[in-house]
Amino acid sequence: MTHADPAPGSARRLRASHYLLLIFICLVSFVPGIASIPPLDRDESRYIQATHQMAESGDYVDIRFQDSSRYKKPIGIYWLQSAALKLTGYGDNTPVWTYRLVSVAGATLAVIGTAALGAFFFGQSAGLLAGIALAAIVMLGFEARVAKTDATVLATVVFAQGALAWIWMASRVQAAERWTPALIFWVATAIGVLIKGPITPFISLLTMGTLSLFYREWRWLKRLKPLSGVLILLAIVLPWLILITLKSGGAFFNESVNKDFLSKVGDAQESHGAPPGYFALIFVFFIWPFGVLAIRGGLQALSRLREDPRLAFLMAWYIPFWLVTELVPTKLPHYILPAYPAVLLMMAWAVDTGIAMQPYRGRWQIWLERLTLLGLAAATLALMGAGLVLPYVMTGSFSFPGVIVFFTALAAGIFASGLILNQNLKGALQAAATFAIITLGLLTWGVIPALTPIWLSPAIANAFNAAKPCSNSVLASARYTEPSLVFLAGTKTLLTDGQGAAQHLLRDPACAISAVDDREHDAFISNLPQGERSVAAVATVSGVNYSKGRRMTITLYKAVK
């Protein structure tokens, strides 16, 4: 069997025991923290509140946050989260972890798909190494715990790219055409479109175009069954698009295409702009702890593209998408996540074959690895500090899980550096992955939830629930307007200013409660008929609004009868 042979022999397929092992690793890696970390601002809380309102209203076509439309992304993630609510059987007080199950499942599928593709390309050992590495990196460890689109869309990218890889390799050896990979490609692409619009097909188009130009050959694309495939895609995507167009009067396309997608491409959106080179700078931290090994694999693959179409495919997956994300003005760290499986697959190939230990052909490659090693050291120190220093700064005491994080992060960084076990990089990779998974698990389960000063919304919601005089009491919040408060305190929560908070109490003096930030206190009191005598303070909450980096003191008031 040549390296270009797509025929899946036993060594090119993962066994059932491998899949069970990967699922177990994913559960250990992704589940800790999903129940203990409160809803995050702002994107996660907007997603889960919109899904909550779907369940409340029974309208599974329209997407709304309170009374406003939310048309930035298509319906897919809301449907999946709604299905999670149904399957878990929770009612109105659905805990946040139920919404996050979708991201856990998406991340797990991405890991399994990456491992399966690695096994197909390079054998079982390399496939398992790639899957384990993906399960251990910081970026996916975070996205798997957050009820947004990114972990789930990654799964669609991996499955679409895996099917495309099979078709590509079959074309290299003139193997018989098959419908199954084409069907998987189009279904995965359609689901990706329903979850996050153009990202999944865009990555595949970049890969196809790069490979075709590099090899000066386009006929292999016929194996995708493009005419039938587009019909499959439309059959999956169009029904909801038609329904939402009729319901919104075209507002969905204006919001999602013009205001969200095109504004990101044309200008920096919501103060998230950064110059080209941003993703290169953050690479080592968000693919931690595998920056050095990933660079080794990528550099070794770069010099072998002509002789190995597998490496050409992975490079065509990674480099064009990376360059495009660098050029787009709006930049957030997770934008590059769909390309990470490609570089981790190259890393797994280089480590498994021992090629990662071969000398480089150019001096610039040596310096690039040294710079990456410095970046790995900085990222490792940052995570060590997050475990040890952050709890002390925020709460005045050290955290036992944080102390363990200090040592596990250090161990992960040392093993991933390539400076020890350099004759057994496979063992070093596995050890680094193990310690990285422990580090992220302890951070998200034991350290971050205990940073009580940053969790203002849960504190306000708890104080509101303890003090509300009626079962149907509604909270108004002046100045503190984070969407997590709407999810925790109820859909009818009023996000307003001091004047609005005062009017809220006057409209319903028997049941209403207002939460007023100190900076809105004067405006709140001046709009009450008897000033301070009109209200009684029932609770005070202090902390840091991490979305704005601002310390706040919020007092909850009810009307004096």
Side-chain angles (χ1 to χ4, degrees):
M1 181 182 294
T2 69
H3 63 246
D5 191 348
S10 60
R12 302 280 168 176
R13 288 180 178 172
L14 296 179
R15 298 193 299 268
S17 59
H18 294 148
Y19 288 114
L20 291 174
L21 173 63
L22 290 168
I23 291 171
F24 172 77
I25 290 171
C26 288
L27 292 176
V28 172
S29 182
F30 303 144
V31 170
I34 66 169
S36 52
I37 297 177
L40 299 176
D41 290 308
R42 297 184 173 112
D43 281 351
E44 179 185 46
S45 291
R46 288 169 177 156
Y47 278 113
I48 60 179
Q49 176 59 28
T51 300
H52 176 70
Q53 289 182 216
M54 279 187 175
E56 278 185 324
S57 65
D59 184 347
Y60 292 94
V61 174
D62 205 6
I63 310 168
R64 307 196 72 78
F65 180 88
Q66 294 191 298
D67 294 328
S68 302
S69 61
R70 178 165 169 76
Y71 294 151
K72 289 180 178 293
K73 297 293 183 290
I75 197 69
I77 197 66
Y78 304 101
W79 279 350
L80 291 171
Q81 290 177 358
S82 296
L85 302 191
K86 294 286 187 182
L87 290 172
T88 53
Y90 279 93
D92 292 340
N93 297 318
T94 308
V96 66
W97 66 263
T98 58
Y99 299 85
R100 291 170 173 164
L101 289 177
V102 175
S103 293
V104 171
T108 301
L109 287 173
V111 167
I112 289 172
T114 299
L117 177 55
F120 168 70
F121 268 168
F122 309 118
Q124 291 174 352
S125 177
L128 286 172
L129 289 176
I132 292 168
L134 182 60
I137 64 171
V138 163
M139 177 67 76
L140 190 57
F142 174 76
E143 293 298 339
R145 291 171 168 85
V146 181
K148 301 194 297 150
T149 58
D150 299 286
T152 311
V153 83
L154 177 64
T156 69
V157 169
V158 169
F159 275 79
Q161 291 291 91
L164 186 64
W166 202 101
I167 290 169
W168 165 246
M169 295 302 293
S171 73
R172 295 298 88 198
V173 294
Q174 301 300 313
E177 294 187 23
R178 291 175 56 182
W179 251 103
T180 302
L183 180 62
I184 292 172
F185 173 84
W186 289 107
V187 171
T189 299
I191 295 172
V193 169
L194 280 176
I195 292 172
K196 203 170 183 177
I199 298 301
T200 302
F202 181 63
I203 291 171
S204 294
L205 285 171
L206 284 176
T207 306
M208 294 178 209
T210 303
L211 286 172
S212 299
L213 287 171
F214 188 69
Y215 282 85
R216 293 183 176 85
E217 198 261 298
W218 299 85
R219 288 175 298 176
W220 70 278
L221 295 175
K222 292 181 180 179
R223 292 171 176 260
L224 277 171
K225 317 290 184 185
L227 293 179
S228 301
V230 170
L231 291 176
I232 292 170
L233 186 149
L234 292 176
I236 295 172
V237 172
L238 267 185
W240 177 76
L241 286 179
I242 293 171
L243 288 173
I244 192 62
T245 300
L246 294 174
K247 187 133 191 172
S248 69
F252 169 77
F253 288 99
N254 182 55
E255 183 78 16
S256 64
V257 178
N258 293 336
K259 293 185 179 180
D260 187 56
F261 179 70
L262 292 180
S263 66
K264 287 177 180 176
V265 174
D267 198 5
Q269 190 183 61
E270 299 176 357
S271 303
H272 295 313
Y278 170 81
F279 291 106
L281 288 174
I282 69 170
F283 173 83
V284 177
F285 182 81
F286 286 102
I287 207 166
W288 185 89
F290 298 116
V292 172
L293 295 179
I295 286 292
R296 285 190 185 184
L299 291 176
Q300 294 293 353
L302 198 59
S303 63
R304 294 168 170 82
L305 299 185
R306 281 291 179 188
E307 64 194 61
D308 195 331
R310 303 169 302 177
L311 301 176
F313 181 92
L314 296 175
M315 204 63 75
W317 179 350
Y318 185 81
I319 288 183
F321 184 69
W322 166 57
L323 292 176
V324 169
T325 55
E326 292 284 18
L327 293 175
V328 172
T330 303
K331 292 181 175 66
L332 287 170
H334 61 262
Y335 286 3
I336 195 64
L337 177 60
Y340 279 172
V343 75
L344 292 176
L345 282 163
M346 288 185 276
M347 176 190 74
W349 157 79
V351 168
D352 186 59
T353 58
I355 290 174
M357 294 305 301
Q358 292 185 6
Y360 296 124
R361 300 178 183 177
R363 192 165 182 80
W364 68 272
Q365 297 168 318
I366 298 173
W367 282 106
L368 179 59
E369 182 178 323
R370 289 175 178 174
L371 287 173
T372 306
L373 185 61
L374 288 175
L376 171 64
T380 302
L381 287 172
L383 287 164
M384 292 165 64
L388 193 63
V389 179
L390 197 57
Y392 185 81
V393 171
M394 299 296 296
T395 67
S397 61
F398 291 107
S399 161
F400 179 68
V403 173
I404 301 175
V405 163
F406 181 88
F407 292 104
T408 57
L410 175 62
I414 290 173
F415 279 112
S417 68
L419 298 178
I420 65 171
L421 291 183
N422 53 13
Q423 298 303 316
N424 182 17
L425 287 183
K426 189 184 299 187
L429 188 155
Q430 293 168 334
T434 300
F435 284 111
I437 288 171
I438 295 171
T439 298
L440 295 176
L442 289 173
L443 276 174
T444 54
W445 169 75
V447 176
I448 294 174
L451 303 178
T452 50
I454 68 172
W455 303 122
L456 272 173
S457 288
I460 296 169
N462 289 338
F464 165 64
N465 288 325
K468 64 182 183 182
C470 309
S471 60
N472 61 344
S473 292
V474 175
L475 177 69
S477 179
R479 182 65 73 103
Y480 184 77
T481 57
E482 299 301 334
S484 59
L485 184 60
V486 176
F487 178 76
L488 293 170
T491 301
K492 294 182 180 179
T493 300
L494 178 64
L495 305 178
T496 183
D497 54 14
Q499 179 182 356
Q503 292 172 350
H504 176 68
L505 286 185
L506 296 176
R507 283 193 297 268
D508 187 10
C511 294
I513 289 183
S514 290
V516 182
D517 177 64
D518 278 358
R519 282 163 296 179
E520 293 291 325
H521 177 265
D522 292 344
F524 172 68
I525 295 300
S526 66
N527 280 278
L528 294 170
Q530 299 181 51
E532 294 275 7
R533 291 176 296 173
S534 300
V535 293
V538 294
T540 299
V541 174
S542 295
V544 177
N545 182 355
Y546 59 84
S547 293
K548 295 183 177 180
R550 180 182 299 161
R551 181 165 288 278
M552 305 181 81
T553 299
I554 296 167
T555 304
L556 279 70
Y557 296 94
K558 65 179 180 179
V560 174
K561 298 179 182 178

